[in-house]
Amino acid sequence: MQGAETNNNDHAYNRVPVTARASLLNATLVRMGVMTSLSQFMVGATLGHSMSFGQAMLATVLGSLLLEMVSLGMGLVGMREGLSTSLLARWCGFGRIGSCLIGVFIALSLIGWFGVQNSVLADGLLHVSQGTLNFTAAAILSGLSITLLVLYGFSALSWTAKISVPLFFLVVLYILYDIVSGPQVLNFLDGQPNGPAMSLSQGATMVAGGYIVGALISPDICRYCKNKNHVLFMVTSSIIVGEIIINCLSVIVAHALGTADVVSIMTHSAGGIGLVTVILSAIKVNDVNLYSASLGMASALDALTHRKWRYRWLTLILGLTGTALSVMGIISHFIDFLILLGVLFPPIAGVMLVDYYVLRTHRVLLDATRARHALPDAAATPTIGWPAMAAWLGGSTVGLTCQLGIPSLNALLAGCLFYWLMAQAKQRISGRCRSDG
């Protein structure tokens, strides 16, 4: 990023002024474009392969409700303050260093997604090579190719984003039409899954994990919204389309074909066009994943170490890491990966929401500087919020270990409760110290 240019164009380091707010249509299309992707289709196909249609849709609704709650709560904060998640975290419990650590974890999650998508891309190359390549060679070839393209700022692949999304929808709708036009369509809805059984709590957490990072960083888009109604419409409509509808379509297709393999699904009726769609979609997603992870990691490391890190070296290291994950078989741990995301990130949102709406730790400071369209002074920015970090760790631990209920919801509620209790204890201790003094 170029400093001045960034400030003028995407307001990465300042508040988005009222004059720069976007229309409801533009903001909604951006959010829907992020949510309606090959990644979301993979989540739905995995559900359909391991759950009945009714169970999969119930898990989708439960996971979507959690995403709605987090997205809406975080989005309203972003709209009000005009700040991105990374900046908001500084004054919502985590402090400067804590917010940087959040940025590092977000970047690492994107590299995990890079490994997953690279595995899909490698499967597509295997079909193209017709046995010439093995999976390891295909994964290395695809991973290094994307890394080099991002590394040298190669923008020729921008056309993939323009055609892959509409092409993806057309192919999915064609496959769905081919399936439901047959007389056996009711059997697909009532039939049992062919894959390993998945519990409702696992399914809901997997749905939440598929987009929980996006829900956490909702302020990044919502800061461009003009009012609360715009945030509500954008968040709700994108979840209905990106979660409910896409998952419904992918669950039906996975049931009908008896597989969660995206390449097999997309080539079932569409053949070569379906294969091209998979490859273009995977390229588009991974191009963004690696670019965003590299920028986020560079910004976080700069703030943590007070030194400039070479963007190209970081891109190369992260790209090689994501490629290694795909070679090591991260796609076979896709469910575990989503469940991990589903318990790791909700407590972060819980801490920020409790701090902003309930404790209001820095609301006076934020209100005063918002009136001047400025950020709080560096001297007023906490270095690190230890209670927030402890609540994040505690909430994630509860989500991973508690067997009752939905792990994502458990992690969110535990993070909220831990942070509130520690804030109350800190307030009491401070009061006693003042009275003793």
Side-chain angles (χ1 to χ4, degrees):
M1 288 187 180
Q2 302 297 322
E5 183 178 299
T6 299
N7 281 338
N8 291 333
N9 292 336
D10 62 13
H11 305 280
Y13 302 107
N14 58 7
R15 296 179 185 270
V16 176
V18 176
T19 55
R21 302 297 173 104
S23 68
L24 175 60
L25 178 61
N26 287 341
T28 302
L29 288 177
V30 169
R31 177 117 178 161
M32 281 192 181
V34 173
M35 294 192 68
T36 54
S37 66
L38 183 65
S39 305
Q40 189 58 48
F41 190 86
M42 291 173 61
V43 174
T46 303
L47 285 178
H49 191 53
S50 299
M51 308 178 79
S52 68
F53 179 79
Q55 290 173 329
M57 292 312 299
L58 180 56
T60 297
V61 170
L62 292 175
S64 297
L65 288 175
L66 180 64
L67 292 175
E68 171 82 8
M69 180 168 54
V70 173
S71 298
L72 190 57
M74 294 296 298
L76 289 173
V77 179
M79 183 277 302
R80 176 182 171 87
E81 300 296 340
L83 295 173
S84 64
T85 300
S86 60
L87 287 177
L88 281 171
R90 297 183 184 182
W91 302 286
C92 288
F94 285 95
R96 180 177 56 82
I97 294 179
S99 65
C100 292
L101 292 177
I102 292 174
V104 170
F105 272 85
I106 291 176
L108 292 177
S109 73
L110 292 175
I111 292 305
W113 274 113
F114 182 96
V116 170
Q117 295 293 330
N118 191 55
S119 299
V120 175
L121 182 55
D123 282 338
L125 294 181
L126 287 179
H127 278 70
V128 173
S129 67
Q130 297 181 340
T132 304
L133 297 173
N134 58 29
F135 177 79
T136 299
I140 293 175
L141 177 61
S142 58
L144 289 180
S145 298
I146 296 296
T147 301
L148 291 175
L149 290 173
V150 176
L151 184 65
Y152 289 101
F154 195 76
S155 59
L157 288 179
S158 60
W159 59 272
T160 60
K162 299 178 181 178
I163 68 173
S164 61
V165 173
L167 185 61
F168 174 76
F169 270 106
L170 289 175
V171 171
V172 170
L173 291 176
Y174 175 76
I175 295 173
L176 184 66
Y177 172 78
D178 185 55
I179 291 172
V180 302
S181 60
Q184 69 276 30
V185 60
L186 294 179
N187 295 332
F188 300 149
L189 300 179
D190 298 332
Q192 294 301 310
N194 297 313
M198 182 186 299
S199 68
L200 181 62
S201 61
Q202 286 179 315
T205 297
M206 197 184 79
V207 171
Y211 193 69
I212 192 61
V213 175
L216 176 64
I217 61 175
S218 291
D220 293 4
I221 297 177
C222 293
R223 62 195 174 127
Y224 288 97
C225 291
K226 295 180 178 180
N227 54 56
K228 296 179 181 179
N229 291 333
H230 284 195
V231 174
L232 176 61
F233 179 84
M234 182 187 71
V235 168
T236 304
S237 60
S238 60
I239 285 180
I240 290 175
V241 174
E243 295 289 338
I244 308 296
I245 295 179
I246 293 295
N247 273 17
C248 181
L249 297 179
S250 52
V251 166
I252 293 175
V253 172
H255 260 249
L257 302 183
T259 180
D261 181 25
V262 174
V263 175
S264 298
I265 290 174
M266 297 296 283
T267 57
H268 170 72
S269 303
I273 296 179
L275 182 60
V276 170
T277 303
V278 171
I279 293 175
L280 290 180
S281 298
I283 290 175
K284 181 207 73 168
V285 173
N286 261 0
D287 187 31
V288 175
N289 281 339
L290 184 55
Y291 178 76
S292 299
S294 300
L295 289 181
M297 188 69 77
S299 177
L301 291 177
D302 179 28
L304 288 171
T305 63
H306 301 289
R307 54 174 292 194
K308 299 294 182 183
W309 292 70
R310 291 182 179 270
Y311 168 75
R312 287 189 172 182
W313 279 111
L314 282 176
T315 301
L316 180 61
I317 292 172
L318 294 176
L320 292 176
T321 302
T323 302
L325 289 175
S326 59
V327 172
M328 294 166 61
I330 189 175
I331 192 70
S332 62
H333 300 284
F334 184 50
I335 296 176
D336 296 331
F337 173 64
L338 292 181
I339 291 177
L340 179 63
L341 294 182
V343 298
L344 183 62
F345 287 97
I348 300 176
V351 168
M352 294 180 65
L353 293 174
V354 167
D355 190 277
Y356 188 84
Y357 288 110
V358 180
L359 300 177
R360 304 167 69 91
T361 307
H362 294 93
R363 282 291 291 273
V364 174
L365 186 62
L366 287 171
D367 290 344
T369 53
R370 183 174 65 250
R372 296 184 282 109
H373 301 290
L375 294 180
D377 294 334
T381 303
T383 303
I384 184 168
W386 289 111
M389 300 298 293
W392 177 13
L393 178 61
S396 298
T397 302
V398 170
L400 286 170
T401 58
C402 182
Q403 302 299 318
L404 299 176
I406 301 174
S408 284
L409 183 59
N410 294 340
L412 175 68
L413 296 178
C416 292
L417 180 60
F418 289 158
Y419 185 62
W420 183 81
L421 288 175
M422 282 185 283
Q424 295 301 308
K426 181 180 179 180
Q427 186 177 16
R428 291 182 181 179
I429 292 173
S430 299
R432 290 177 183 176
C433 291
R434 285 194 298 268
S435 62
D436 293 340

